[in-house]
Amino acid sequence: MKLLERLKNDILIADGAMGTLLYSYGVDYCFEELNLTQPNRIQQVHEAYIQAGANVIQTNTYGANRVKLARYDLENKVKEINRAAVQIAKRSIGKSNEHYILGTIGGIRGVRKSIAELEEIKGAFIEQLDALLEANVDGILLETYYDIEELYTVLQEVRKRTTKPVVAQVSMHEVGVLQDGTPLHEAFSKLEQLGANVIGTNCRLGPYHTIKSLEQVPLPNNAYLSAYPNASLPDLVDGRLIYESDAEYFAEAAISMREQGVRLLGGCCGTTPKHIEAMRKAINGLTPIDEKRVKERKPISVSKPTVAAEPHLHEMVQSRRTVIVELDSPKHLDTDTFFKGAQALQQAGVDVITLADNSLATPRISNVAVASILKEKYNIRPLVHITCRDRNIIGLQSHIMGIHTLGINQVLAVTGDPTKVGNFPGATSVYDVSSFELIQMIKQFNNGQSISGTSLKLQTNFGVSAAFNPNVRHLEPTVKRLEKKIAFGADSFISQPVFSQEQIIQIYKATKHLQVPIFLGIMPLTNYRNAQFLHHEVPGIKLADDILHRMKSCGDDREICSAEGVKIAQELIDTAMEYFKGIYLITPFLRYDMTVALTNYIRKKDGVRERKIHHVL
């Protein structure tokens, strides 16, 4: 009898974790490679689950796609690894007609969407799928998909290529909701429409939260439900992840999951043959349910901010010239010069002071602490930079919530310079997310949803700027990145400093089609050594020979050097103001006197222009 025919009248037991057992045996490298190097070990795991009572086993191919195998230089062995996995599974069940083999294809994206584009995912997926189908599995198991867009995409690809049964399983961080905020029952409904025969959930959540999630899900009309919960929350013991869960607890959970309509029961991380055996014994003699009472999901209440927010940068620049200035917080605890500089910039007419997040991977006073003081004590509007380098996802979410709570509503999302460029090169760079996902995360906060999809109960109101480095040989690929950042939610761009009038015009021509404003970066040179450093050591920045000559001719006189640096910047500003309404001034070495002079220059130049227009009118 085929798999779907069995599920009409029976509850089937699937296997548990493959990786957990291999990890307990001391294996901590590519599990899928063992299909080629230690096939007997994989077969022993399959047989242990079959002896425990599993009707359905999955191939050892969760990560056997080109993208994941590339981590181990095995991307050219996709077909070989997948075919070997099916052969091992077939040897495990022998000639039995009571057991079924599902070809497993795991999700590639997690929180990080930018880890792989959908086209790359589809290519890797099809290659793996074809290998499994050629080896004649009984069905396909799509499991551990946190990104529902990815699962929708690959499910459609499966349905183009086979009529075999498909089990499609999502993974959640929180009860009843996916990480993009989609309720579980809505995701299930869509998966059913796209042709999944069995829809369910696996990984991350244990039995308790899996059951609570399923309580909100009605029985499908044309599909069956599945559940592969984790054994428990993991604990870290002597540097190793340990799952502690009583097998008898799984027996009780199996009965509860059956009452929620589940017909395919298995286990994920932490589960062993003992858990599977307990579930098998618990559901012996029980038949599937045909009706259930669905718990109504409480509507998520998300309030809008009650305090009227200041306009965002992308809104301000639509109506008038907007000048923002970067003034980095000190590397030491003496803040007098910094706050004097901030007040001087405010008096000069700066709209916003931007604060880098440990730029060049060098520790500075927390930019959020300084931003709070600027806002509350001096009534200066701050723009806080947020890097992906220093905080994991937990820290980032906490950090963003804190920034909102302080009443700051403008941020810049950047990747952050790697730690090896700073004065602590041995420090760890986190990079749990890229700048793309960070932008998306902040915009999800604006919808009142956390990164895990749960309600924040209040919407944030962030304007999100993104970084733009135009100092490259070819602008086209960089502009493509800008377009991608816009797709992820960027409202405006702040550029690295530009040192050529011709380059400013080139940037305008390459970006004028974009629907979001660009704040063009201008940084005054302080002396010849500063110019040499930028020209020779900063990737992508090249100063014209005449600029280098002008700075060299100033000698060592500080005032003469500063005056010439400001004059060069003013010439760049003249061109920038013709093409861009947003100007971003970068203060070198806390020399705020230079950016004050440039701000005054911009305001005076705009004032003359406005008087001329008024005179004509």
Side-chain angles (χ1 to χ4, degrees):
M1 188 181 297
K2 293 185 177 181
L3 176 62
L4 295 181
E5 293 175 354
R6 284 283 300 277
L7 287 172
K8 284 182 181 179
N9 302 303
D10 295 335
I11 300 171
L12 298 184
I13 296 296
D15 53 7
M18 171 69 72
T20 295
L21 290 188
L22 295 175
Y23 185 66
S24 70
Y25 299 154
V27 179
D28 59 357
Y29 49 94
C30 180
F31 296 147
E32 291 78 12
E33 186 182 17
L34 299 182
N35 296 334
L36 303 178
T37 60
Q38 298 185 48
N40 290 338
R41 174 169 276 186
I42 303 302
Q43 184 171 336
Q44 288 169 3
V45 174
H46 287 321
E47 290 174 347
Y49 280 119
I50 291 170
Q51 291 170 10
N55 310 102
V56 179
I57 62 171
Q58 56 180 295
T59 56
N60 181 38
T61 54
Y62 170 77
N65 60 72
R66 177 170 293 275
V67 175
K68 289 189 174 180
L69 290 177
R71 303 170 187 170
Y72 309 98
D73 296 323
L74 294 170
E75 64 269 27
N76 294 322
K77 293 190 175 184
V78 172
K79 289 189 177 181
E80 189 178 351
I81 288 172
N82 281 276
R83 287 171 178 168
V86 179
Q87 292 169 1
I88 295 168
K90 287 185 174 181
R91 289 199 297 270
S92 301
I93 67 172
K95 297 181 179 180
S96 170
N97 294 320
E98 299 296 317
H99 295 86
Y100 307 93
I101 298 171
L102 297 179
T104 300
I105 304 179
I108 292 176
R109 290 176 170 178
V111 172
R112 296 193 62 178
K113 276 197 172 187
S114 66
I115 198 169
E117 299 290 344
L118 283 178
E119 286 304 311
E120 181 185 7
I121 288 172
K122 280 199 288 187
F125 177 82
I126 290 168
E127 181 182 24
Q128 183 181 6
L129 174 65
D130 287 346
L132 292 169
L133 293 176
E134 288 169 10
N136 197 29
V137 290
D138 297 307
I140 298 296
L141 170 62
L142 308 175
E143 69 165 7
T144 322
Y145 283 80
Y146 286 96
D147 180 11
I148 194 62
E149 180 186 28
E150 179 186 7
L151 182 52
Y152 292 156
T153 299
V154 298
L155 176 55
Q156 291 175 83
E157 293 301 321
V158 178
R159 277 296 164 238
K160 291 176 184 177
R161 286 166 172 77
T162 184
T163 58
K164 287 180 180 288
V166 178
V167 181
Q169 296 188 149
V170 301
S171 295
M172 300 171 289
H173 301 287
E174 305 284 350
V175 171
V177 63
L178 277 60
Q179 69 180 19
D180 70 345
T182 302
L184 182 61
H185 69 273
E186 289 184 14
F188 279 3
S189 178
K190 180 69 173 180
L191 292 170
E192 186 178 358
Q193 292 173 24
L194 293 175
N197 305 105
V198 181
I199 49 183
T201 178
N202 79 289
C203 206
R204 181 62 180 88
L205 303 182
Y208 176 77
H209 291 111
T210 298
I211 294 164
K212 286 183 69 69
S213 298
L214 292 171
E215 288 174 347
Q216 304 167 11
V217 174
L219 296 177
N221 295 319
N222 299 299
Y224 304 113
L225 291 178
S226 65
Y228 286 46
N230 277 4
S232 63
L233 295 174
D235 191 13
L236 190 64
V237 179
D238 296 329
R240 294 177 65 83
L241 289 175
I242 303 296
Y243 291 85
E244 296 182 1
S245 178
D246 192 308
E248 290 306 311
Y249 174 57
F250 254 64
E252 297 174 12
I255 295 173
S256 296
M257 285 188 279
R258 176 256 179 189
E259 291 170 353
Q260 295 307 318
V262 174
R263 298 194 185 203
L264 179 61
L265 273 168
C268 204
C269 301
T271 56
T272 66
K274 289 184 178 180
H275 296 86
I276 300 307
E277 183 179 18
M279 288 200 296
R280 160 56 65 199
K281 291 179 179 178
I283 62 98
N284 267 347
L286 298 178
T287 57
I289 66 165
D290 295 317
E291 295 180 355
K292 66 176 284 191
R293 183 178 179 181
V294 179
K295 274 192 178 180
E296 186 176 349
R297 179 176 173 81
K298 293 182 180 179
I300 298 174
S301 176
V302 179
S303 303
K304 292 184 178 181
T306 55
V307 179
E310 298 171 288
H312 296 131
L313 280 185
H314 65 281
E315 297 166 334
M316 293 167 59
V317 80
Q318 298 300 326
S319 58
R320 63 180 175 84
R321 176 82 59 200
T322 304
V323 180
I324 62 177
V325 176
E326 179 173 320
L327 189 69
D328 287 346
S329 54
K331 300 176 185 177
H332 46 72
L333 295 176
D334 184 355
T335 59
D336 287 348
T337 301
F338 174 86
F339 287 116
K340 286 178 183 177
Q343 292 175 81
L345 288 166
Q346 181 189 41
Q347 292 169 6
V350 166
D351 294 291
V352 171
I353 290 182
T354 83
L355 301 149
D357 191 6
N358 297 327
S359 57
L360 296 177
T362 300
R364 296 176 178 272
I365 295 176
S366 163
N367 61 351
V368 174
V370 170
S372 179
I373 295 172
L374 289 178
K375 182 177 182 297
E376 297 301 324
K377 185 173 181 179
Y378 299 104
N379 197 31
I380 297 173
R381 187 174 181 189
L383 182 154
V384 173
H385 298 202
I386 306 173
T387 71
C388 306
R389 179 196 58 232
D390 297 336
R391 304 170 189 86
N392 62 17
I393 292 176
I394 300 168
L396 278 173
Q397 177 156 319
S398 174
H399 189 58
I400 296 166
M401 289 193 293
I403 293 170
H404 163 79
T405 303
L406 289 170
I408 298 166
N409 76 338
Q410 189 70 49
V411 295
L412 170 69
V414 291
T415 301
D417 304 305
T419 56
K420 64 182 179 181
V421 308
N423 50 8
F424 290 99
T428 302
S429 295
V430 181
Y431 300 129
D432 268 4
V433 295
S434 70
S435 59
F436 297 102
E437 286 100 10
L438 180 55
I439 293 167
Q440 185 179 52
M441 181 192 302
I442 299 168
K443 281 307 186 79
Q444 192 163 317
F445 275 42
N446 282 357
N447 291 327
Q449 292 176 347
S450 73
I451 188 63
S452 61
T454 55
S455 171
L456 294 171
K457 295 190 177 181
L458 185 70
Q459 292 178 341
T460 59
N461 184 37
F462 288 113
V464 185
S465 300
F468 168 32
N469 182 13
N471 299 305
V472 292
R473 290 185 179 179
H474 304 288
L475 271 174
E476 185 178 351
T478 300
V479 173
K480 292 291 183 186
R481 282 181 62 84
L482 300 188
E483 293 170 350
K484 183 177 176 181
K485 287 182 178 182
I486 292 171
F488 274 76
D491 298 309
S492 60
F493 292 105
I494 297 177
S495 90
Q496 293 282 10
V498 178
F499 292 94
S500 161
Q501 291 168 291
E502 293 77 12
Q503 187 183 7
I504 291 172
I505 297 171
Q506 290 172 1
I507 293 168
Y508 169 74
K509 290 179 178 179
T511 62
K512 63 182 180 180
H513 66 287
L514 300 178
Q515 299 301 307
V516 303
I518 293 174
F519 288 78
L520 194 80
I522 305 289
M523 183 173 74
L525 300 168
T526 56
N527 52 48
Y528 179 55
R529 283 183 298 176
N530 175 222
Q532 277 191 311
F533 170 76
L534 292 170
H535 181 71
H536 292 291
E537 298 192 36
V538 178
I541 292 182
K542 293 296 178 185
L543 276 61
D545 290 341
D546 67 309
I547 291 179
L548 290 169
H549 176 73
R550 287 170 64 178
M551 293 306 300
K552 186 176 182 180
S553 66
C554 295
D556 296 327
D557 189 292
R558 176 185 168 99
E559 289 187 8
I560 294 175
C561 288
S562 296
E564 190 63 24
V566 168
K567 185 177 180 182
I568 291 169
Q570 287 173 342
E571 293 167 4
L572 294 169
I573 286 170
D574 287 341
T575 302
M577 289 177 69
E578 294 297 321
Y579 296 96
F580 297 94
K581 291 180 71 174
I583 304 295
Y584 169 48
L585 301 178
I586 301 151
T587 306
F589 314 115
L590 269 182
R591 290 289 306 279
Y592 64 84
D593 57 308
M594 302 180 79
T595 41
V596 165
L598 294 176
T599 303
N600 286 328
Y601 180 79
I602 294 169
R603 293 308 186 200
K604 183 177 179 181
K605 191 176 178 70
D606 269 334
V608 170
R609 182 176 299 169
E610 288 174 8
R611 286 195 295 273
K612 285 181 178 179
I613 293 172
H614 181 73
H615 179 72
V616 171
L617 292 175

